[in-house]
């Protein structure tokens, strides 16, 4: 893999001891986020996760610990919104990553100075890491699309365009919240079973969707597409996304133009952005099933074929109010891998820009629900419960067809591969509150 360098060396350790003990954030990861100390009256600022700590990038820069291109990039990475470093591009990202790796390694001569720049994650709170201008959500799991399509069109579950074009729709950036988000149950119109006219009320079929999020880098001028040949240049990194969905509202409104109120009330994201450089060792070949149509030339390249996909393990867990009150752990709902995705990250971004759309630093693109082909890999309750017909039983005997008030959905993700360090995404957790009624 051409993009591997000394920062990926699995033998590297950090003087931050917690980074060497099975953390999501070893020195080979170094994800970016925006944080502040809880109840300290501070402004949000950029930081990098290392073990159970956060390196305050601005404090490290003020201490004179960066030089060269990394010193130019560091103030951007210390800002309260990360659109600045996202706009800088791969050369600046690489320089900053290398500098951070060398500063945080075991044996760094700057350890004592840097210890004063650390903030425990347990004493921090987070915010959405960038100013999100646009939030499209794709639909790239053929298994999810087939499972859902079968519920509504048993004889024709998969629409014919799915295998030719990365399908997507536009979401709502203003309702995106960082992990820990609490959101009221949505309200809207639904069509009762057997009814001929809709009714208005609280959503009864509230669902999660286990997704990844793509954080945009430099972007492109309006009218000029992003070529598929470059895998990493346009993309800053990936995170976890839970696109909450009001299924009853969705079923009534989605024809002919697709989701609207069913998808605009809340989306929860993880606070940390895992850079494309950190993910480089976990790339894998992208293939199409035998007999499926080949992608059109603008969506195809040797690089996409050889290493366009990512082997990222993803999981969803449910902690009910009852489990939480009893001190019980959450129950796992889904376990799959992003390698199952029918379309790659690069293909999604390329297709988004091909018609002339100007993508911008800080845009967030959801990958769509990432279900796999086997039992346990369905990544939404709509699939798991077959549209609510087969309730799910939790460890304490409670059942679910869809989410209830007080339920918390927790997403997790990680990458591991022989010869490389395991890196994780942290958690993405959102909790359902009762609807706001007037």
């Amino acid at each position: 893999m051409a993009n591997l360098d000394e920062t990926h060396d699995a033998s590297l350790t950090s003087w931050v001891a917690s980074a060497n003990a099975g953390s999501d954030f070893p020195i080979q990861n170094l994800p970016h986020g925006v944080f502040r100390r809880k109840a300290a009256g501070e402004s949000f600022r950029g930081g990098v996760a290392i073990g159970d700590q956060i390196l305050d990038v601005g404090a490290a820069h003020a201490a004179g610990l960066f030089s060269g291109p990394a010193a130019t990039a560091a103030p951007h990475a210390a800002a309260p919104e990360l659109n600045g470093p996202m706009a800088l591009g791969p050369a600046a990202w690489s320089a900053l990553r290398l500098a951070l790796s060398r500063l945080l390694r075991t044996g760094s001569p700057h350890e004592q100075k840097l210890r004063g720049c650390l903030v425990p994650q347990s004493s921090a709170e987070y915010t959405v890491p960038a100013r999100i201008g646009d939030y499209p959500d794709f639909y790239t799991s053929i298994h999810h699309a087939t499972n859902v399509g079968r519920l509504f069109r048993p004889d024709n579950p998969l629409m014919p365009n799915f295998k030719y074009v990365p399908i997507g729709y536009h979401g709502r950036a203003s309702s995106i919240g960082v992990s820990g988000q609490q959101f009221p149950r949505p309200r809207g119109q639904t069509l009762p079973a057997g009814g001929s006219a809709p009714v208005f009320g609280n959503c009864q079929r509230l669902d999660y969707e286990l997704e990844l999020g793509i954080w945009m880098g430099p972007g492109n001028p309006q009218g000029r597409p992003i070529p598929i040949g470059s895998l990493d240049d346009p993309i800053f990194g990936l995170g976890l996304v839970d696109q909450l969905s009001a299924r009853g509202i969705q079923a009534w409104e989605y024809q002919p133009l697709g989701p609207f109120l069913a998808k605009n009330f809340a989306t929860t994201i993880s606070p940390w952005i895992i850079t494309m450089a950190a993910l480089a060792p976990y790339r894998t070949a992208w293939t199409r099933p035998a007999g499926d149509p080949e992608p059109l030339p603008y969506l195809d390249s040797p690089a996409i074929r050889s290493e366009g996909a990512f082997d990222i393990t993803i999981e969803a867990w449910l902690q009910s109010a009852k489990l939480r009150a009893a001190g019980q752990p959450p129950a796992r709902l889904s376990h799959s891998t992003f390698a199952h995705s029918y379309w790659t990250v690069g293909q999604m971004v390329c297709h988004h820009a091909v018609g002339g759309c100007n993508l911008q630093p800080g845009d967030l693109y959801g990958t769509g629900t990432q279900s796999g082909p086997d039992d346990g890999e369905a990544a939404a309750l709509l699939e798991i419960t077959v549209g609510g017909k087969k309730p799910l039983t939790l460890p304490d005997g409670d059942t679910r067809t869809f989410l209830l008030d007080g339920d918390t959905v927790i997403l997790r993700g990680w990458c591991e591969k022989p010869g490389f360090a395991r890196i994780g995404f942290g958690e993405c957790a959102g909790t359902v509150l009762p609807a706001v009624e007037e």
Side-chain angles (χ1 to χ4, degrees):
M1 295 182 182
N3 291 329
L4 300 188
D5 58 29
E6 65 181 77
T7 66
H8 300 99
D9 186 347
S11 68
L12 292 179
T13 59
S14 173
W15 51 262
V16 180
S18 59
N20 309 320
S23 168
D24 271 1
F25 308 121
I27 195 167
Q28 293 83 1
N29 195 345
L30 303 176
H32 291 264
V34 173
F35 78 101
R36 67 183 178 190
R37 291 180 178 87
K38 297 174 185 175
E42 298 177 340
S43 298
F44 282 105
R45 56 196 183 275
V48 169
I50 179 73
D52 62 4
Q53 303 289 309
I54 305 167
L55 178 68
D56 185 328
V57 177
H61 179 64
L65 297 177
F66 296 102
S67 61
T72 302
H76 296 279
E81 295 176 334
L82 298 183
N83 302 73
M86 291 173 173
L88 294 177
W93 304 338
S94 179
L96 182 58
R97 174 178 166 83
L98 179 60
L100 288 164
S101 177
R102 290 175 174 175
L103 287 170
L104 291 165
R105 289 178 198 176
T106 300
S108 168
H110 304 294
E111 176 181 345
Q112 292 309 312
K113 280 188 178 180
L114 281 166
R115 284 194 179 278
C117 303
L118 295 179
V119 175
Q121 291 183 29
S122 60
S123 65
E125 60 184 359
Y126 306 94
T127 190
V128 175
R131 183 181 65 259
I132 302 172
D134 284 295
Y135 168 47
D137 195 27
F138 285 91
Y139 192 55
T140 60
S141 166
I142 195 168
H143 307 293
H144 175 68
T146 302
N147 291 341
V148 172
R150 191 175 289 121
L151 295 174
F152 300 101
R153 300 178 304 275
D155 297 328
N156 185 31
L158 195 68
M159 301 302 286
N161 62 350
F162 186 91
K163 295 182 178 182
Y164 288 93
V165 58
I167 304 296
Y169 68 92
H170 207 280
R172 181 72 180 176
S174 64
S175 58
I176 295 174
V178 77
S179 183
Q181 180 185 36
Q182 297 181 327
F183 55 91
R185 178 175 295 274
R187 311 185 78 204
Q189 291 189 26
T190 58
L191 184 66
S196 59
V199 297
F200 180 83
N202 299 343
C203 165
Q204 301 300 316
R205 294 163 64 87
L206 183 60
D207 204 355
Y208 76 95
E209 292 187 345
L210 173 55
E211 305 189 21
L212 289 172
I214 306 163
W215 289 96
M216 193 64 197
N220 59 300
Q222 188 173 10
R224 183 168 298 176
I226 296 174
I228 195 67
S230 173
L231 287 171
D232 290 338
D233 289 358
I235 303 167
F236 184 68
L238 305 182
L240 297 171
V241 170
D242 183 359
Q243 166 67 81
L244 283 306
S245 297
R247 298 301 189 187
I249 296 171
Q250 182 179 356
W252 172 239
E253 74 176 5
Y254 86 103
Q255 301 183 63
L257 295 180
F260 184 41
L261 298 190
K263 301 278 192 175
N264 73 359
F265 58 93
T267 295
T268 309
I269 64 172
S270 54
W272 297 108
I273 303 174
I274 314 304
T275 65
M276 297 302 277
L279 292 165
Y282 314 101
R283 288 188 175 278
T284 187
W286 173 80
T287 59
R288 276 282 171 89
D292 277 14
E294 298 297 338
L296 296 182
Y298 79 96
L299 292 172
D300 203 357
S301 75
I304 287 289
R305 296 281 180 163
S306 63
E307 52 181 345
F310 289 95
D311 189 5
I312 303 172
T313 300
I314 46 178
E315 292 185 338
W317 298 72
L318 175 66
Q319 188 171 55
S320 66
K322 185 178 174 183
L323 287 172
R324 188 163 49 248
Q328 297 297 309
R332 192 172 77 177
L333 300 174
S334 309
H335 175 90
S336 190
T337 172
F338 185 51
H340 291 317
S341 183
Y342 197 80
W343 296 99
T344 71
V345 166
Q347 289 168 325
M348 288 180 238
V349 170
C350 172
H351 179 70
H352 196 339
V354 75
C357 180
N358 49 322
L359 313 186
Q360 298 179 317
D363 285 355
L364 176 65
Y365 311 138
T367 61
T369 309
Q370 291 301 311
S371 300
D374 299 325
D375 290 345
E377 293 190 292
L381 286 170
L382 183 67
E383 295 176 74
I384 294 170
T385 68
V386 193
K389 297 175 183 176
K390 296 182 178 180
L392 169 75
T393 301
L394 301 178
D396 61 357
D398 274 1
T399 60
R400 290 291 184 280
T401 51
F402 293 95
L403 298 176
L404 299 182
D405 293 349
D407 284 348
T408 298
V409 175
I410 303 165
L411 308 186
R412 296 171 182 153
W414 67 89
C415 303
E416 52 190 347
K417 181 180 180 181
F420 295 94
R422 177 193 182 280
I423 66 171
F425 282 67
E427 283 194 351
C428 172
T431 301
V432 185
L433 300 177
V436 176
E437 301 188 43
E438 297 180 358

